[in-house]
């Protein structure tokens, strides 16, 4: 069981690059890359809120529980 991060899928659907997302959210590309690859140990609600606003999605679109 783990949490899967679907950031790649959302970026493709929104025709957005990681750089564009980083600029909109106000975090570094390196930190977004850690999240995107699933290596992040935590995410702040404020960051998740900014990601959802930039990607026009819900938290469940970004994070998925996989059994």
């Amino acid at each position: 069981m783990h949490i899967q991060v679907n950031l790649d899928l959302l970026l493709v659907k929104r025709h957005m690059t990681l750089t564009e997302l980083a600029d909109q959210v106000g975090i570094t590309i390196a930190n977004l890359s850690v999240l995107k690859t699933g290596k992040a140990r935590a995410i702040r609600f404020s960051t998740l809120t900014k990601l959802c606003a930039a990607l026009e999605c819900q938290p469940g679109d970004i994070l998925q529980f996989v059994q």
Side-chain angles (χ1 to χ4, degrees):
M1 293 186 279
H2 67 279
I3 300 294
Q4 177 176 314
V5 180
N6 296 318
L7 207 49
D8 277 339
L9 179 63
L10 288 170
L11 287 171
V12 169
K13 284 183 178 180
R14 303 300 191 271
H15 305 287
M16 187 182 290
T17 67
L18 198 62
T19 303
E20 291 170 333
L21 182 60
D23 288 343
Q24 285 186 26
V25 175
I27 62 176
T28 66
I29 295 172
N31 284 338
L32 264 183
S33 293
V34 169
L35 179 61
K36 186 179 77 155
T37 58
K39 294 180 181 178
R41 296 180 146 254
I43 183 171
R44 293 177 186 260
F45 281 152
S46 59
T47 302
L48 186 57
T49 299
K50 291 176 186 178
L51 287 170
C52 288
L55 294 168
E56 298 178 355
C57 68
Q58 295 295 314
D61 297 328
I62 297 172
L63 303 174
Q64 179 181 2
F65 178 69
V66 179
Q67 293 188 13

